[in-house]
Amino acid sequence: MKRRIVLAVIALAILALVLLSRLRVEDRTGGEAPPPLFADTANEVERGRALVLLADCGPCHTARGGEPFAGGRAIPTPFGTFVTPNITPDPETGIGNWTSDDFWRALHEGRSRDGRLLYPTFPYTNYTKISRRDADAMFAYLRTLKPVRRENRPHELRFPYDQRWLLAAWRALFFRPGVYEPDPERSAEWNRGAYLVQGVAHCSACHEARNALGAIQSSDNPAGGLVLDWYAPSLTRAREAGVQHWSEEDIVTFLRTGRTQSAPHASALGPMAEVVYESLQHVHPGELHAMAVYLKSLPVDGAPPDAGAGFASAPLTGSLARGREIYMEHCADCHGERGEGRLPAAIPLAGNRAVCMDSVANPIRIVLYGGYPPGTEGSPRPFGMPPFYPTLRNDQIASVLNYVRTGCGADVPRVTADEVERNRGGPLW
Amino acid sequence: MKPLLLPIVLLGGLSLAASAAEPSATELDTIAQRVRACTPCHGAEGRATSEGYYPRIAGKPAGYLYNQLVNFRDGRRHFPMMTYLTERQTEQFLLEMAAHFAAQELPYPPPQRPNVDAALLERGRVLATEGDAQREIPACSACHGSRLMGVEPSVPGLLGLPDDYLIAQMGSWRSGSRRAHEPDCMAEIARRLEREDLAAVAAWLAVQPVPENTRPDPAFEQEPPMRCGSIPENTQAAP
């Protein structure tokens, strides 16, 4: 009964919204994307391959140990578990019967071949910026893949998110189709970078906050977002992942190899390690350079943490004193007694943005589960952070993180044992 | 963990000595430093106590260790922590990690004390050393070497491991949650074993002292009874 009432109320609200939105939808479908500056443009399949790589389609549409692009990977979200579909050219279980119009409708409008609305876990809110020419190239490349017969598994979503028709309301509120519109005031390289970052590479799918309904609303909420249990730091905050103060070369090095070679020290862990490993390291450096040019031009909030600020040294008491003891016992050997780092093995922690950002999800996960930055051609033998989940208790992890966060040069939210507990378990990434 | 901590405690106590002892960048640029992510569970040199669930990896054949890293990566074995650590690395790097731990020569813990009755132990001994021809179950020693310390490059030793670990592994093989490259001979054998057989074999293996020479055999002494996908073709005879 309660369900019916909820659905009825939602239905009415939707009807109102959909009517409203009909009045103001203007879809830009014929836009021309800024052309690739560096890839072979004559060969459509080759151009499609490069775009599919940049869009990172493969890893999401491939199950562990499964056939490439045959789908079946489970994507855990707050709304339930999505299971990616088979996009190989198999006629029955894949997209073998699709036309380039069908594919375009999926990318540009978020509709499947049969007209069903797609869940925005498939980032069509970004892909809508892709030009028809590029979408056709991606489709042409996907047609060349080996067809794999693998039935799609249904999503496992919680109520009311399992009611697919509710997406109509979601779209009315949050989705405007439209191909990227170049900014004539900016360089070709900047426009290419913007096209890739906003559209093809769909960076905002993780790096911008989503609201309670899973929509990205950058204008209201420019902070990063929690995705797959990790916090994807904001690209417009200097204390998080803004790279406005980095050199273009450092940005490209980070995107291509998963780490920087010198200050500013950064390495990719968690979902970003996957993006680098699967996608960015294989992308033409010229495209990465265009992305760097655009990322540097984003508006920026605040200043990076003071790298010179050491850990608190005044006589410490209570939890901070315990944190210091744990640090000296477990961390100082690699990261140095003052958090200065021991290169090349361990990067500095004092003033490190990964440690200092307000969200404590990543620091907790890094202490719990450690991990390796991706092994890439530019950094084939990375150093790994040991996992401490078997050896340290929640309160110990909270204490040591609070001690390390005294080196951030500003007040940062305290880590609590409860928050550490919340990060235990669940899928790693 | 303890041997690793000792130098840190010393460094912490004497800050002057600590700065003098700080390792240089070259000293840190080693495979040992790179695999420190493995040590909280497997021990500083790839060793675990006979009490812990995390298995010893020191001295196991490099090919076996490499196969396991790849199996975790590709979903043939399931342990999220291992998958997380292995899934975005090059095969050369995984091989280098495997070779590093394979080269470790460390003393083994004393064997566990028997905690099952003599009849079960005897059943375990017979299965491990003679097999059961009627049920087409080869002896463990037919593939794992007459000393049961494994065979280069990919067959692991079976001694010096706790019986709960051995039971868990054979159980997962039997249920299909641990797999190896096809043809998966160990899965086939585990399915031919009764639950009681698993307990018997594990109990017997866990109480055996390791022999003086703990290294794996360099090659099979006789042709293995089954074809196994985890063993490179050129080291096993054609079926």
Side-chain angles (χ1 to χ4, degrees):
Chain A
M1 188 65 200
K2 201 174 154 204
R3 274 190 164 207
R4 286 205 188 148
I5 297 173
V6 173
L7 287 176
V9 169
I10 297 175
L12 280 174
I14 291 168
L15 198 66
L17 283 166
V18 171
L19 288 175
L20 224 117
S21 67
R22 284 287 149 104
L23 300 176
R24 56 191 180 104
V25 165
E26 40 175 313
D27 182 2
R28 190 173 176 279
T29 55
E32 241 335 288
L37 300 163
F38 311 96
D40 170 19
T41 53
N43 182 332
E44 187 181 43
V45 169
E46 194 43 41
R47 206 157 44 82
R49 193 193 64 81
L51 286 160
V52 165
L53 196 59
L54 259 163
D56 210 10
C57 310
C60 274
H61 285 280
T62 306
R64 179 169 307 290
E67 295 276 0
F69 295 92
R73 181 171 181 178
I75 312 280
T77 74
F79 314 104
T81 300
F82 291 90
V83 186
T84 57
N86 183 346
I87 56 167
T88 69
D90 182 65
E92 276 158 49
T93 62
I95 59 170
N97 286 335
W98 287 40
T99 65
S100 59
D101 283 344
D102 296 332
F103 187 74
W104 165 252
R105 204 158 34 243
L107 250 60
H108 188 74
E109 292 174 31
R111 277 177 192 278
S112 188
R113 178 162 181 262
D114 57 12
R116 271 182 316 159
L117 302 179
L118 297 172
Y119 283 99
T121 332
F122 169 59
Y124 61 83
T125 44
N126 296 91
Y127 291 165
T128 191
K129 291 177 187 283
I130 293 175
S131 72
R132 176 71 199 234
R133 183 164 172 271
D134 281 357
D136 286 353
M138 293 168 80
F139 185 65
Y141 167 70
L142 292 176
R143 302 286 302 176
T144 68
L145 297 173
K146 184 182 98 178
V148 178
R149 203 188 146 71
R150 201 200 63 83
E151 291 289 346
N152 288 326
R153 247 176 43 202
H155 305 314
E156 289 158 25
L157 304 180
R158 292 187 294 114
F159 178 81
Y161 311 109
D162 56 351
Q163 307 291 311
R164 196 180 273 266
W165 54 274
L166 289 177
L167 284 167
W170 189 92
R171 293 158 62 97
L173 283 168
F174 305 120
F175 178 51
R176 296 287 169 271
V179 168
Y180 175 78
E181 261 178 282
D183 179 346
E185 306 281 295
R186 301 281 197 164
S187 68
E189 194 174 33
W190 184 96
N191 275 298
R192 178 69 182 170
Y195 175 67
L196 295 178
V197 168
Q198 295 175 16
V200 185
H202 60 283
C203 305
S204 70
C206 292
H207 283 283
E208 284 180 20
R210 286 175 186 255
N211 63 19
L213 292 174
I216 292 164
Q217 286 195 297
S218 29
S219 53
D220 309 338
N221 203 347
L226 265 177
V227 176
L228 307 166
D229 295 329
W230 287 76
Y231 176 75
S234 165
L235 298 169
T236 60
R237 284 190 176 167
R239 291 185 63 76
E240 297 192 1
V243 286
Q244 291 80 352
H245 60 293
W246 286 22
S247 70
E248 280 159 23
E249 200 188 333
D250 282 341
I251 302 173
V252 172
T253 301
F254 177 82
L255 296 176
R256 203 167 56 80
T257 68
R259 54 175 293 197
T260 53
Q261 294 296 330
S262 54
H265 294 288
S267 34
L269 287 174
M272 188 64 192
E274 178 177 305
V275 174
V276 171
Y277 182 74
E278 299 285 354
S279 166
L280 296 175
Q281 69 159 324
H282 307 292
V283 164
H284 193 291
E287 304 275 46
L288 299 179
H289 199 268
M291 290 165 78
V293 166
Y294 172 71
L295 289 171
K296 268 181 78 69
S297 79
L298 288 173
V300 64
D301 247 7
D306 178 3
F311 298 150
S313 56
L316 301 171
T317 55
S319 152
L320 281 185
R322 283 196 299 280
R324 183 172 193 283
E325 274 169 34
I326 297 163
Y327 182 88
M328 295 308 292
E329 188 180 334
H330 294 284
C331 318
D333 189 35
C334 291
H335 287 288
E337 284 180 39
R338 299 173 305 283
E340 71 277 21
R342 295 217 171 120
L343 295 169
I347 62 179
L349 296 182
N352 186 319
R353 296 197 296 179
V355 169
C356 292
M357 62 182 86
D358 282 358
S359 166
V360 295
N362 296 1
I364 289 174
R365 296 195 79 79
I366 292 168
V367 174
L368 278 175
Y369 301 116
Y372 281 93
T376 56
E377 201 185 322
S379 170
R381 300 163 75 231
F383 292 84
M385 164 85 182
F388 285 92
Y389 78 92
T391 38
L392 292 181
R393 296 188 313 265
N394 293 342
D395 63 299
Q396 292 178 307
I397 291 176
S399 296
V400 75
L401 281 173
N402 284 325
Y403 172 68
V404 168
R405 279 158 73 93
T406 62
C408 293
D411 281 340
V412 289
R414 285 182 68 78
V415 181
T416 65
D418 283 350
E419 262 167 304
V420 179
E421 176 60 29
R422 272 199 291 281
N423 278 281
R424 283 196 190 250
L428 299 176
W429 205 266
Chain B
M1 203 65 202
K2 282 281 147 51
L4 176 74
L5 294 181
L6 190 64
I8 308 172
V9 175
L10 291 177
L11 287 176
L14 300 161
S15 64
L16 268 179
S19 46
E22 234 170 67
S24 70
T26 327
E27 284 168 318
L28 289 169
D29 195 4
T30 60
I31 183 65
Q33 182 69 31
R34 284 176 167 84
V35 296
R36 284 186 69 162
C38 315
T39 59
C41 296
H42 292 286
E45 289 102 356
R47 177 173 45 175
T49 69
S50 57
E51 307 307 316
Y53 186 77
Y54 304 105
R56 172 197 175 98
I57 51 179
K60 286 188 179 175
Y64 170 75
L65 292 177
Y66 172 74
N67 281 345
Q68 304 321 303
L69 295 175
V70 172
N71 289 343
F72 282 115
R73 182 192 69 185
D74 295 344
R76 282 184 290 264
R77 291 189 70 177
H78 303 280
F79 191 67
M81 191 67 244
M82 283 302 297
T83 303
Y84 176 63
L85 291 174
T86 53
E87 67 185 334
R88 295 162 199 140
Q89 301 307 328
T90 63
E91 284 169 5
Q92 295 95 298
F93 190 36
L94 296 180
L95 203 52
E96 190 185 355
M97 293 180 181
H100 169 76
F101 285 107
Q104 304 285 326
E105 292 197 38
L106 290 161
Y108 279 75
Q112 289 184 316
R113 299 164 76 90
N115 60 354
V116 295
D117 61 57
L120 196 70
L121 272 186
E122 174 59 13
R123 182 171 170 180
R125 183 194 68 77
V126 170
L127 279 170
T129 58
E130 297 165 21
D132 183 342
Q134 269 195 334
R135 290 189 285 156
E136 291 189 78
I137 297 167
C140 301
S141 52
C143 293
H144 291 270
S146 54
R147 290 175 299 119
L148 294 170
M149 293 311 289
V151 180
E152 295 285 1
S154 332
V155 181
L158 301 177
L159 303 187
L161 293 164
D163 73 336
D164 55 359
Y165 177 74
L166 291 166
I167 290 179
Q169 297 314 307
M170 286 193 281
S172 350
W173 240 309
R174 202 156 165 268
S175 70
S177 63
R178 175 171 176 172
R179 289 176 294 142
H181 294 82
E182 294 289 342
D184 191 347
C185 50
M186 197 57 222
E188 189 55 46
I189 295 166
R191 281 196 293 268
R192 293 176 195 169
L193 291 166
E194 304 290 330
R195 200 164 285 280
E196 279 256 294
D197 296 328
L198 299 187
V201 172
W204 185 81
L205 288 171
V207 300
Q208 301 312 305
V210 294
E212 199 155 307
N213 173 13
T214 59
R215 302 299 305 173
D217 291 347
F220 288 112
E221 289 161 6
Q222 56 191 40
E223 199 175 298
M226 295 170 85
R227 155 83 66 191
C228 304
S230 53
I231 304 172
E233 299 251 341
N234 57 6
T235 61
Q236 60 182 344

